[in-house]
Amino acid sequence: MKKVNLLAIAPYEGLAEILRSISSKRNDIDLTIEIGDLNQGVQLAKEHIIENFDAIISRGGTAELLRSAVEIPVIEISISVYDVLRAIKTAELYNAKFAVVGFSTITEHATLLSDLLQYNLDIITFQCEEDVKPALKKLKDSQYDLVVSDRIGSTVAEEIGLNSILISSGYESVTSSLNKAIQLVQSMRPLHKEKELFKQITTSLFDNFLIYKANLKIYIIK
């Protein structure tokens, strides 16, 4: 079966390493990996868009931005509830005042954990990249010592002198997202073949066509 050609936009190096490790053990994908977060990641994708990629995979806010910036499918590398819980448990070891901050893909999990486990979590959701620095500065001014966040939150926290713990996607989450991308691309291939066929027909110099399908059904196009 033809390999699926994927472009991965990883917001941080650790995710790129996991992608390299997983893809090196598979023979059903050709994976190109670039590292860039949010708008930087979108720019990298646009630079590659003329290449024949079947889909793009990314994470969090970067994946959200890519969906509105490119026409090919974007599959999000999921952040599981377990990924968020693991980061929260790490934060608790520091015995510091902390908040969970990030885009909705993260904070929705944090809210669920807060409800299920009766955690008293402070949770802040970013709507766009411009929200990040003002929100973190406000937390720092309110005597927070630590944030549990995605890549952009951790990067900005470091810039303003606030400690952070990055919520990373585990091997299971990355593998699941790669499988979803492969399934989506393979399910779309018959449609792409028909689209290309009819494109060739409409640009042909001939006036009449007979198209035979595998079931011997005949389509007459004039």
Side-chain angles (χ1 to χ4, degrees):
M1 184 174 290
K2 182 181 177 182
K3 289 185 177 182
V4 173
N5 193 19
L6 298 176
L7 172 63
I9 303 295
Y12 57 95
E13 176 61 34
L15 181 56
E17 286 294 330
I18 293 176
L19 285 162
R20 293 188 193 105
S21 176
I22 294 174
S23 63
S24 68
K25 299 178 178 67
R26 303 184 66 146
N27 58 10
D28 53 354
I29 57 174
D30 281 325
L31 186 64
T32 299
I33 302 171
E34 294 284 0
I35 301 173
D37 198 17
L38 296 174
N39 290 318
Q40 181 189 11
V42 171
Q43 183 58 41
L44 287 168
K46 287 181 176 180
E47 291 173 3
H48 279 284
I49 212 65
I50 60 173
E51 300 174 34
N52 192 28
F53 288 106
D54 296 309
I56 298 176
I57 61 172
S58 190
R59 201 189 93 144
T62 307
E64 291 182 22
L65 289 176
L66 283 166
R67 287 194 180 100
S68 60
V70 299
E71 293 184 358
I72 63 175
V74 176
I75 293 86
E76 184 171 352
I77 298 173
S78 61
I79 300 171
S80 69
V81 172
Y82 177 74
D83 294 332
V84 177
L85 178 60
R86 183 174 54 202
I88 290 172
K89 287 295 185 183
T90 302
E92 289 176 340
L93 295 176
Y94 289 89
N95 198 26
K97 186 178 181 181
F98 72 91
V100 180
V101 300
F103 289 90
S104 59
T105 49
I106 284 174
T107 57
E108 285 174 2
H109 287 324
T111 300
L112 177 63
L113 287 169
S114 180
D115 292 341
L116 291 177
L117 302 178
Q118 299 300 300
Y119 277 5
N120 185 22
L121 294 175
D122 295 320
I123 302 169
I124 297 175
T125 301
F126 304 142
Q127 301 300 325
C128 62
E129 187 174 356
E130 288 71 25
D131 291 344
V132 181
K133 184 169 284 189
L136 294 184
K137 282 185 175 180
K138 186 175 181 180
L139 286 173
K140 186 179 180 182
D141 292 341
S142 300
Q143 306 304 309
Y144 282 80
D145 305 301
L146 179 69
V147 292
V148 175
S149 185
D150 54 10
R151 180 59 183 175
I152 184 63
S154 294
T155 299
V156 173
E158 183 178 343
E159 291 175 0
I160 66 173
L162 189 62
N163 295 317
S164 68
I165 293 174
L166 176 66
I167 301 172
S168 58
S169 297
Y171 274 79
E172 299 83 1
S173 297
V174 176
T175 299
S176 174
S177 299
L178 284 171
N179 289 338
K180 287 179 182 177
I182 292 168
Q183 291 168 4
L184 175 64
V185 171
Q186 289 178 342
S187 69
M188 292 174 62
R189 277 180 172 166
L191 295 176
H192 286 311
K193 287 181 180 179
E194 287 192 7
K195 180 180 177 181
E196 184 60 29
L197 173 62
F198 283 100
K199 180 180 178 181
Q200 292 175 12
I201 290 173
T202 56
T203 58
S204 172
L205 297 177
F206 296 99
D207 295 326
N208 301 309
F209 300 90
L210 290 177
I211 301 177
Y212 291 86
K213 297 192 72 172
N215 60 6
L216 298 182
K217 188 173 183 179
I218 299 175
Y219 294 87
I220 300 176
I221 301 178
K222 297 182 179 181

